[in-house]
Amino acid sequence: MKLNKLFIGALATLALASCNDQMEYKEYNIYDKDYITKNFGNVGGFMTDIYNTVEYDFGNYSGGAMQASATDESMYSKLGNAIEDFYNGAWSPSNAKGSIWSSMYSGIKVCNHVLEQMQGLTFDELVLNKDYTQQMHRYQNYQYEARFMRAYFYFALVRQYGGVPLVTTEISAEEANSIARSSADDIFKFIIDECNDIQNKIIADYSDLGDYALGTEESGRADKLAVLALKARAALYWASPLFNASNDKERYHTAATYTKELLTAAEARGKGLTAKYADLWDAASFNTPTIMKEILFGRRYYKSASGDNLVETNNYPVGIEGGAGGNCPTQNLVDAYDMKTSGLSINEIGSGYDAKNPYADRDPRLAATVAVNGDQWPTYSGAAKLETFQGGINGEPLTGATPTGYYLKKLCNGAISLASNSKLKESRHTWLTFRMGEFYLNYAEAVFKYLGSADATSVEFPMSAREAANKTRQRAGMPDLATTGDFWTRLCNERFVELAFEGHRFWDVRRWKEADKYFKTITEMKLTKNDDGSITYTRQNVSRQWSEKMYLFPIPQTERMKNPNLTQNPGWE
């Protein structure tokens, strides 16, 4: 059987890492099945191509704009970027933002091919090789990796579209263009069932392979913890209001159970929160044990051996060489960081907030995420302090200058200089697909919704929602969540702060069905420097469009033209 000139595009410019070693990417051309299955390396290269479909967002979502700039996290500083379509009325079935549809189904097609056409191989001509047993062990694991990745691709689809066509075998083009959508419930069930089936079959830990070790292990591949993480996240989404209209609390029970299962297994392997929040985006996060302990699965992006500067090029301040402005944190996000001493939000009585000195005594995660006026940002030697006030060297009215008063620090390596004579222009970057911080917060959400109280516990769930939510605050040096006020509001705020710019906010607000609360007004901060050197801070609100139909994406019109059995999501007809 020929592969019908299937491109194996495992580009050497991309790599993954969830633990200590990079996955080696090779480039494959157009070969038939006989070539691909000739030896372990070729089959492994084909498998690696599946990982190239894992999503990441370092500003590649829309010409430099992150998906965060379609939320209340940030505003993109350069007008006319397609990210604005999400909130200016230009979003439609014919402008469907449908790249996930095409890329995920491409990945699913490759997974199905691996599972049907690349099983049962024995590589008899290589049986005398000294590493034959170890290579066969790796080969036998590929089927479980493929099933994990297929489940991951379906999760990316269901959170975006709800029900989608469920394809688990190789099918013809004619069949593909006639298959109807399965329900969202069916897709979530498929994801969870797949994870349950493979979690004890897939390699548990690439750093502990015993007699099957090959020397340098490709630890960027999915292992048992990645499977448990996907299952737990999918269960929480399935329990959320967008997919759980009847508020079935048993779904939250399931989500809490699976999240506890993950946390228990991860902690048993020595996983937990890294000591310093900002270290998670360090260039060496993929091979630094104290940082690796929090990372469950991630995608490392780089263009050369030394790394890349995509994040910095997209987000460094205007006014320095190479700076483009980019994804500028909003005042909405800045306001979300509580006061460090009191632990209260800035609007609460007794918080200690000073509007004339607004960044003093704030949650340390603010300084790790947002560059404010007066910061030395970037941090390389010789960089000037930021001037984001009107007329400042990094402020309006410069083209591309921050409209919000802030620039992005998080994800960036401030030691990189984009100057033409720079000696450090590139760095490695890892997109954290799953990390422990998220799952402590996921546990808090699921247990709170199931038990109905922030402090309730049970034999099954001995850690309360508040206790779990406080873990990320304690790591940051913040007081525990206040026991007064609405716990749900405080928990949502903690997710906003802890997971900022990690690709969660866009989906969290949708699955909670709370976009009317968060996405209709964005606040900018306009800074004016006075004659005496003081700064006047003036808030400015900007309205954005939102309608109920936007909780789910439109099915791309191009797909519906090919397949008349694809129904459209409500409101997009």
Side-chain angles (χ1 to χ4, degrees):
M1 172 185 172
K2 301 293 183 181
L3 287 181
N4 193 26
K5 295 187 177 180
L6 182 64
F7 282 89
I8 314 302
L11 302 180
T13 57
L14 299 178
L16 304 175
S18 63
C19 294
N20 57 341
D21 292 308
Q22 73 180 66
M23 180 183 294
E24 182 182 2
Y25 282 69
K26 298 179 180 179
E27 186 169 358
Y28 286 80
N29 295 312
I30 307 171
Y31 298 115
D32 61 18
K33 181 182 176 183
D34 291 339
Y35 180 87
I36 294 296
T37 60
K38 184 177 180 179
N39 61 48
F40 305 120
N42 294 341
V43 175
F46 189 88
M47 268 300 305
T48 299
D49 187 54
I50 297 175
Y51 285 86
N52 284 338
T53 312
V54 174
E55 60 183 344
Y56 66 99
D57 188 5
F58 287 135
N60 53 290
Y61 191 85
S62 179
M66 301 173 69
Q67 204 169 42
S69 288
T71 76
D72 56 348
E73 282 181 311
S74 68
M75 296 185 70
Y76 196 62
S77 66
K78 292 181 281 189
L79 295 177
N81 187 279
I83 201 71
E84 298 170 11
D85 296 348
F86 280 109
Y87 54 81
N88 68 6
W91 197 10
S92 71
S94 59
N95 180 26
K97 309 297 182 184
S99 62
I100 288 293
W101 182 283
S102 58
S103 61
M104 295 302 108
Y105 273 114
S106 293
I108 289 166
K109 182 177 180 179
V110 176
C111 291
N112 288 337
H113 183 83
V114 167
L115 292 169
E116 291 196 16
Q117 301 296 330
M118 292 192 172
Q119 301 308 304
L121 303 177
T122 58
F123 309 101
D124 292 339
E125 71 277 17
L126 304 175
V127 71
L128 297 180
N129 287 11
K130 63 180 181 179
D131 64 351
Y132 180 79
T133 300
Q134 291 89 342
Q135 292 283 17
M136 285 301 294
H137 179 257
R138 175 178 292 187
Y139 163 72
Q140 294 295 340
N141 190 65
Y142 287 160
Q143 62 184 303
Y144 307 120
E145 291 182 70
R147 289 175 65 184
F148 164 79
M149 292 307 305
R150 184 174 62 181
Y152 168 89
F153 298 149
Y154 273 114
F155 172 73
L157 287 165
V158 72
R159 74 177 178 184
Q160 183 157 312
Y161 297 104
V164 294
L166 180 58
V167 182
T168 59
T169 61
E170 289 194 292
I171 59 176
S172 67
E174 183 179 358
E175 290 172 310
N177 290 333
S178 62
I179 189 169
R181 299 171 67 181
S182 296
S183 68
D185 287 349
D186 286 343
I187 301 299
F188 279 115
K189 184 178 185 301
F190 171 79
I191 295 166
I192 291 170
D193 286 349
E194 281 287 276
C195 290
N196 274 324
D197 189 65
I198 67 174
Q199 67 184 48
N200 292 320
K201 299 173 181 177
I202 199 167
I203 287 175
D205 181 0
Y206 279 92
S207 66
D208 185 21
L209 289 176
D211 293 339
Y212 293 112
L214 280 164
T216 301
E217 295 301 335
E218 294 176 335
S219 54
R221 295 187 183 275
D223 62 7
K224 180 176 180 176
L225 292 184
V227 175
L228 294 177
L230 174 61
K231 181 177 68 170
R233 187 192 284 179
L236 181 61
Y237 272 65
W238 188 45
S240 300
L242 181 60
F243 302 107
N244 185 14
S246 64
N247 192 29
D248 179 1
K249 286 197 173 183
E250 188 56 31
R251 293 192 188 182
Y252 282 111
H253 179 213
T254 299
T257 299
Y258 288 154
T259 309
K260 179 188 173 186
E261 178 187 22
L262 164 67
L263 293 173
T264 300
E267 289 169 352
R269 261 181 56 181
K271 294 285 187 178
L273 299 181
T274 190
K276 188 177 179 183
Y277 178 73
D279 284 350
L280 285 164
W281 298 276
D282 188 270
S285 64
F286 71 98
N287 64 359
T288 303
T290 55
I291 305 174
M292 287 159 43
K293 67 180 292 185
E294 183 162 348
I295 302 172
L296 301 172
F297 185 72
R299 174 168 184 163
R300 185 147 54 93
Y301 173 87
Y302 64 88
K303 293 189 296 184
S304 68
S306 58
D308 76 283
N309 54 29
L310 177 68
V311 193
E312 294 75 24
T313 298
N314 287 334
N315 295 291
Y316 266 8
V318 165
I320 66 170
E321 186 173 346
N327 301 276
C328 300
T330 62
Q331 188 63 42
N332 310 58
L333 176 62
V334 172
D335 286 347
Y337 293 87
D338 292 339
M339 301 300 295
K340 183 177 180 180
T341 299
S342 67
L344 299 176
S345 71
I346 64 171
N347 295 317
E348 291 184 278
I349 296 174
S351 70
Y353 176 69
D354 180 0
K356 294 182 179 179
N357 191 15
Y359 316 120
D361 192 39
R362 300 291 291 277
D363 185 326
R365 290 172 292 185
L366 173 60
T369 304
V370 180
V372 306
N373 183 63
D375 282 352
Q376 183 174 342
W377 181 253
T379 57
Y380 59 80
S381 178
K385 291 186 176 181
L386 278 182
E387 295 182 358
T388 62
F389 50 81
Q390 298 291 306
I393 59 174
N394 314 107
E396 295 177 320
L398 292 175
T399 301
T402 172
T404 65
Y406 308 105
Y407 288 103
L408 179 63
K409 278 186 184 178
K410 188 172 175 178
L411 309 181
C412 299
N413 182 348
I416 289 177
S417 170
L418 302 176
S420 56
N421 62 349
S422 171
K423 294 183 179 179
L424 180 61
K425 280 191 172 184
E426 296 180 331
S427 173
R428 300 192 177 205
H429 297 86
T430 300
W431 181 260
L432 305 186
T433 306
F434 301 127
R435 68 176 177 93
M436 292 290 282
E438 174 202 344
F439 287 95
Y440 285 120
L441 295 174
N442 288 4
Y443 175 92
E445 179 177 343
V447 168
F448 172 69
K449 292 292 187 177
Y450 176 60
L451 295 180
S453 166
D455 299 299
T457 60
S458 67
V459 173
E460 189 176 15
F461 303 115
M463 180 168 61
S464 71
R466 190 185 307 276
E467 184 181 355
N470 281 333
K471 287 184 177 294
T472 50
R473 291 176 68 86
Q474 290 164 358
R475 184 255 298 278
M478 288 293 291
D480 289 349
L481 286 171
T483 56
T484 58
D486 177 57
F487 177 77
W488 175 245
T489 299
R490 293 192 186 280
L491 178 59
C492 292
N493 193 79
E494 180 63 18
R495 286 187 70 92
F496 195 19
V497 165
E498 174 71 19
L499 303 176
F501 293 96
E502 294 181 50
H504 291 278
R505 186 67 173 178
F506 187 95
W507 305 110
D508 279 347
V509 170
R510 281 173 164 78
R511 66 183 177 85
W512 296 332
K513 296 200 74 173
E514 294 189 0
D516 280 351
K517 179 179 178 181
Y518 295 114
F519 285 177
K520 296 184 76 171
T521 303
I522 306 301
T523 303
E524 305 169 338
M525 183 64 82
K526 302 299 183 183
L527 285 69
T528 303
K529 187 174 184 180
N530 303 312
D531 291 341
D532 62 0
S534 64
I535 300 292
T536 298
Y537 301 90
T538 305
R539 292 168 179 263
Q540 179 172 299
N541 292 332
V542 178
S543 296
R544 286 182 171 179
Q545 294 187 30
W546 176 265
S547 68
E548 287 289 303
K549 67 182 181 181
M550 295 179 184
Y551 281 114
L552 293 174
F553 279 44
I555 303 297
Q557 188 61 31
T558 52
E559 299 300 326
R560 296 191 70 214
M561 291 173 66
K562 291 185 290 186
N563 182 355
N565 291 324
L566 282 179
T567 56
Q568 184 56 273
N569 277 327
W572 294 108
E573 297 90 346

